[in-house]
Amino acid sequence: MDTVREQEGDQSNVMDVTYNVSYSYIYHSTPSPFLTSSYFTLLFFQYSSPLPPAMGEDKEPGYNTLSPSKITGKGGFKATSFIYALVALENMGFIANMVSLVLYFCYKLYFHLSDAANTLTNLMGSTFLLTVVGGFISDTYINRFHTCLIFGTLELLALAMMTIQAHNSSLLPLPCANSHCMDGGMSVYFYTSLCLLALGVGGFRGALPALGADQFDAKDPKEAKGLASYFNWLLLSTVSGASIGVTVIVWVATNKNNHNWWKGFLITTVGAFVGFVIFAFGKPFYRLEVPKDSPLIRVAQVIVVAIKNRRSSHPESPSELYEINEKESESARTKIAHTEQFRWLDKAAIPPKNTDPSNSEWKVCTVTQVEEVKILTRMLPIIGSTIIMNTCMAQLQTFSVTQGYIMDPSLGSFNVPAASIPAIPLLFMVILIPIYDRFFVPFVRKFTKHPTGITQLQRVGVGLVLSALSMSIAAIVEVKRRNQSLKNPLKPISLFWLSYQYGIFGIADMFTLVGLLEFFYKEAPAGMKSLSTSFTWISLSFGYFLSSVLVAAINSVTKSIAPSKKGWLHGQDLDKNNLNLFYWFLAILSGLNFFNYLYWAMWYKYKKDGDDDVIVKVAADTPVAQSISGVPFLRAAAAEEEYVSKVVEETKGKE
């Protein structure tokens, strides 16, 4: 690929092939029961497919002419096949634990309901908060592949410890009248395993999404389409694995009156272990990015220098701000164009007098470095506006599961475990994700003229509205459940009444979580991909922590004003609680939060690359990267993106 600058008179035509291709990232097409065989079939096809052809001569053999960091013959769907397998197998256990551990805490460790809910939300909150650690390490010290393996080892150790505790009666407490029945060594053992689990899962998730995205070069038109499809199949992998976890693993764990939890943990451990083994075998196919200088240090430099130069006057033109010339730069970072927001940070890029800027990192920063900080700052309100939704999700993994435990679980002659109800939204997502990607996006694109149909932030907004609707339905269903239980405890309503709130929230999650991961990766500066992607998990983390705070606060406030002197969420008997009022509270809070989000979404300015005046063309005799998979459903995904590229190129050609 040659980079050519064509000029007509004094003006430059602008066309950047680093366009926004259509992709709807999928987090969490084949039915889930055939998941394992499907992935091994996928791996077979990938291994049997010929390696991509060479991409031209270069100074160093093995590197292509598009980007020196992209090694020919590596990356693409051949590499991400291993990642899909790991994601599916690891999420079988992780999602199963997310939806069922509250029952383990209540009926095996004898926690009170509110304590069990808070323990789970604190665990999930810590897990997602620790993704920052994995993201920071993989951006700065260790490549993303080794970061995943290191933290994956900690996750496996934690799961093994949980299996041992669930199987060994000496490590389990006896029923008691207190809110916590564990003490001494068993308590230390229990919380140690939870801490290791949070660190392992969090660190692993902080690095993995960016590792998969690294397998596609966004500056290569053909590989940019693959990057779009990567996010789609990543979510489908998660959903497929999770659907097995919340059915098979949850059924095994809760079977025989909660005496088989150790078997559920054992399956989770073995599944994750096999996933990491497959992931490790994929190393020869991965493109591994070399960690660069610390992103946090770059941020600190901008803030420190801007404060030092706070008394300096802004230059008359942004062109007077300091930026490294491309010929002088040894960095592979893409330059970012100057923006007008947060102008006080521009003072960090004012060149000092009588000083060589290239040797004065703590005296002057480049415009690109300043813009990186601006991008991160602009992201903060978006993160904050999605926390409430994740607080709502925490209720579906805690209180809704305990609701289902006292509802009628029968489906014909089979009793469905309460924690398996999330299988309903997961199945919805397995069906809806391909429909969204193959039908909804092309249809909406005809009207919006946007490559992805709707923007990432619009997608997040749709999810926020649906989450508020889910909480409203949850409140109505709880009233119906409690009224029937008080009327005739022997004939509770069906467990499947919960499917309405779960189903709607599953669709909301498909929009919001996918939109956020896509948004943060795409908008992130070059050296902060992992750290920025972890912002999605930070939102989840704060949502879980906020859930714990709200549960405690609601209990405390309502206890002081209620005639019964008991809070809305007191004790273990839901029939004596006011869970429906708590759901209504979250629904109203979610509605107000949506309007807050609208303001920040309209305020946000999308990133623009600094080389917008460069025309990028593909020479007719230049070989092109062939990273499109031979697997039919992956090839179809990339083929659909071919249409998108033509639409974008034609549109930009008319500008």
Side-chain angles (χ1 to χ4, degrees):
M1 176 177 287
D2 297 327
T3 302
V4 184
R5 197 176 293 241
E6 296 184 352
Q7 296 182 344
E8 295 182 0
D10 295 329
Q11 296 182 346
S12 296
N13 295 322
V14 179
M15 183 174 72
D16 184 0
V17 296
T18 313
Y19 48 77
N20 296 329
V21 295
S22 166
Y23 64 91
S24 42
Y25 160 89
I26 305 184
Y27 169 76
H28 299 79
S29 224
T30 55
S32 59
F34 306 103
L35 173 72
T36 305
S37 61
S38 298
Y39 276 115
F40 281 105
T41 303
L42 184 149
L43 290 175
F44 169 77
F45 277 111
Q46 296 287 27
Y47 273 121
S48 61
S49 302
L51 289 176
M55 300 180 61
E57 306 267 334
D58 208 329
K59 294 181 180 180
E60 290 187 57
Y63 287 78
N64 64 41
T65 57
L66 296 175
S67 175
S69 66
K70 306 299 184 183
I71 301 178
T72 302
K74 295 191 176 186
F77 287 110
K78 191 181 296 291
T80 57
S81 305
F82 299 91
I83 294 176
Y84 298 150
L86 168 60
V87 167
L89 291 168
E90 192 268 347
N91 272 284
M92 283 196 309
F94 177 70
I95 302 298
N97 287 336
M98 284 178 64
V99 301
S100 65
L101 275 180
V102 67
L103 299 179
Y104 178 69
F105 297 154
C106 281
Y107 301 108
K108 197 69 175 177
L109 303 182
Y110 306 108
F111 284 26
H112 283 184
L113 176 59
S114 60
D115 294 323
N118 284 348
T119 300
L120 178 59
T121 52
N122 288 338
L123 171 63
M124 293 296 102
S126 300
T127 298
F128 292 120
L129 183 62
L130 289 170
T131 57
V132 177
V133 176
F136 173 74
I137 290 176
S138 63
D139 279 340
T140 310
Y141 300 109
I142 308 173
N143 65 48
R144 288 166 187 142
F145 171 75
H146 290 114
T147 301
C148 289
L149 288 183
I150 291 172
F151 284 100
T153 302
L154 296 179
E155 178 183 355
L156 292 173
L157 176 60
L159 291 172
M161 291 178 64
M162 294 174 69
T163 304
I164 293 172
Q165 182 171 35
H167 184 262
N168 193 336
S169 58
S170 64
L171 294 175
L172 295 173
L174 297 174
C176 67
N178 301 324
S179 59
H180 292 278
C181 298
M182 287 194 305
D183 56 12
M186 71 175 65
S187 179
V188 172
Y189 185 95
F190 170 71
Y191 286 108
T192 299
S193 66
L194 292 190
C195 290
L196 285 175
L197 183 67
L199 180 60
V201 174
F204 158 70
R205 273 171 172 70
L208 187 70
L211 172 64
D214 288 343
Q215 307 313 307
F216 304 92
D217 187 353
K219 293 187 176 181
D220 176 355
K222 208 171 190 69
E223 293 205 16
K225 305 164 198 171
L227 175 63
S229 298
Y230 157 73
F231 285 112
N232 287 330
W233 305 118
L234 188 65
L235 178 55
L236 191 59
S237 302
T238 300
V239 170
S240 301
S243 63
I244 294 178
V246 300
T247 51
V248 177
I249 296 180
V250 168
W251 181 81
V252 169
T254 58
N255 196 23
K256 294 185 179 180
N257 199 24
N258 287 294
H259 288 299
N260 281 342
W261 278 100
W262 71 271
K263 293 182 180 179
F265 290 142
L266 179 62
I267 296 173
T268 296
T269 306
V270 172
F273 175 76
V274 173
F276 279 106
V277 169
I278 294 174
F279 173 74
F281 280 145
K283 184 180 180 181
F285 297 90
Y286 299 138
R287 291 169 175 169
L288 302 181
E289 296 284 349
V290 178
K292 300 178 176 65
D293 52 315
S294 170
L296 296 184
I297 290 179
R298 289 173 62 84
V299 172
Q301 286 174 345
V302 172
I303 296 174
V304 170
V305 176
I307 293 175
K308 286 182 178 178
N309 296 344
R310 63 187 181 277
R311 300 185 186 280
S312 302
S313 301
H314 286 282
E316 295 181 1
S317 171
S319 61
E320 298 179 34
L321 297 174
Y322 174 62
E323 181 62 278
I324 298 178
N325 187 288
E326 287 186 8
K327 296 180 180 180
E328 299 174 355
S329 175
E330 298 179 357
S331 175
R333 297 184 190 275
T334 302
K335 291 198 299 184
I336 304 175
H338 176 266
T339 59
E340 293 297 325
Q341 285 183 324
F342 309 113
R343 289 195 65 206
W344 70 274
L345 289 173
D346 290 344
K347 294 186 177 182
I350 298 176
K353 296 180 180 179
N354 303 322
T355 305
D356 182 7
S358 61
N359 297 321
S360 306
E361 292 183 342
W362 290 94
K363 293 183 179 180
V364 64
C365 303
T366 64
V367 170
T368 294
Q369 193 173 345
V370 171
E371 291 301 321
E372 288 175 352
V373 179
K374 289 184 180 182
I375 290 171
L376 297 179
T377 306
R378 284 196 293 266
M379 287 178 175
L380 293 179
I382 303 298
I383 299 173
S385 301
T386 56
I387 292 174
I388 296 297
M389 176 184 172
N390 294 313
T391 299
C392 296
M393 181 172 66
Q395 314 318 313
L396 300 183
Q397 298 164 9
T398 53
F399 292 117
S400 292
V401 174
T402 55
Q403 282 178 277
Y405 198 78
I406 56 177
M407 297 169 73
D408 181 10
S410 60
L411 180 62
S413 59
F414 179 73
N415 288 338
V416 178
S420 292
I421 280 294
I424 294 175
L426 291 174
L427 293 176
F428 277 151
M429 292 170 72
V430 168
I431 297 171
L432 292 175
I433 286 168
I435 292 176
Y436 178 90
D437 193 47
R438 294 286 159 253
F439 299 101
F440 177 79
V441 170
F443 176 75
V444 175
R445 186 165 54 222
K446 295 178 181 179
F447 301 97
T448 63
K449 307 301 180 184
H450 192 280
T452 59
I454 59 177
T455 67
Q456 298 96 336
L457 293 181
Q458 288 172 339
R459 188 170 180 169
V460 173
V462 172
L464 295 181
V465 172
L466 291 176
S467 69
L469 179 60
S470 174
M471 287 296 98
S472 300
I473 292 177
I476 296 172
V477 170
E478 169 58 12
V479 170
K480 180 177 179 62
R481 183 211 63 79
R482 188 178 61 182
N483 289 343
Q484 177 61 27
S485 181
L486 293 174
K487 180 180 178 181
N488 188 349
L490 299 179
K491 292 185 177 181
I493 66 173
S494 172
L495 175 68
F496 290 92
W497 276 96
L498 297 177
S499 63
Y500 294 106
Q501 64 209 57
Y502 274 107
I504 292 175
F505 199 93
I507 300 172
D509 197 33
M510 183 185 76
F511 276 94
T512 303
L513 186 59
V514 168
L516 284 176
L517 279 168
E518 178 184 339
F519 169 75
F520 286 130
Y521 183 84
K522 193 172 180 181
E523 290 294 297
M528 304 181 186
K529 294 295 185 182
S530 294
L531 185 64
S532 179
T533 304
S534 67
F535 287 169
T536 304
W537 311 123
I538 290 176
S539 174
L540 280 165
S541 171
F542 289 169
Y544 281 107
F545 284 134
L546 181 59
S547 175
S548 299
V549 171
L550 288 179
V551 168
I554 289 292
N555 259 340
S556 177
V557 172
T558 54
K559 180 179 179 180
S560 63
I561 62 176
S564 62
K565 299 302 179 182
K566 293 182 179 179
W568 284 357
L569 307 172
H570 173 76
Q572 289 184 313
D573 190 351
L574 285 178
D575 293 341
K576 297 180 180 179
N577 286 343
N578 291 283
L579 180 60
N580 61 303
L581 297 180
F582 183 59
Y583 282 149
W584 278 122
F585 171 77
L586 290 177
I588 295 172
L589 199 61
S590 297
L592 296 175
N593 177 67
F594 171 70
F595 291 103
N596 172 63
Y597 170 80
L598 276 182
Y599 173 81
W600 293 113
M602 295 173 66
W603 168 84
Y604 187 85
K605 302 291 185 183
Y606 284 91
K607 180 184 72 174
K608 295 190 299 182
D609 287 339
D611 53 351
D612 285 341
D613 61 332
V614 177
I615 300 177
V616 184
K617 291 185 176 180
V618 180
D621 58 346
T622 301
V624 181
Q626 301 294 323
S627 62
I628 302 303
S629 173
V631 181
F633 72 87
L634 293 178
R635 186 174 64 246
E640 192 271 342
E641 299 300 338
E642 190 77 41
Y643 167 75
V644 179
S645 66
K646 293 180 180 178
V647 172
V648 175
E649 289 175 0
E650 290 175 1
T651 302
K652 293 197 173 186
K654 295 177 182 179
E655 292 180 351

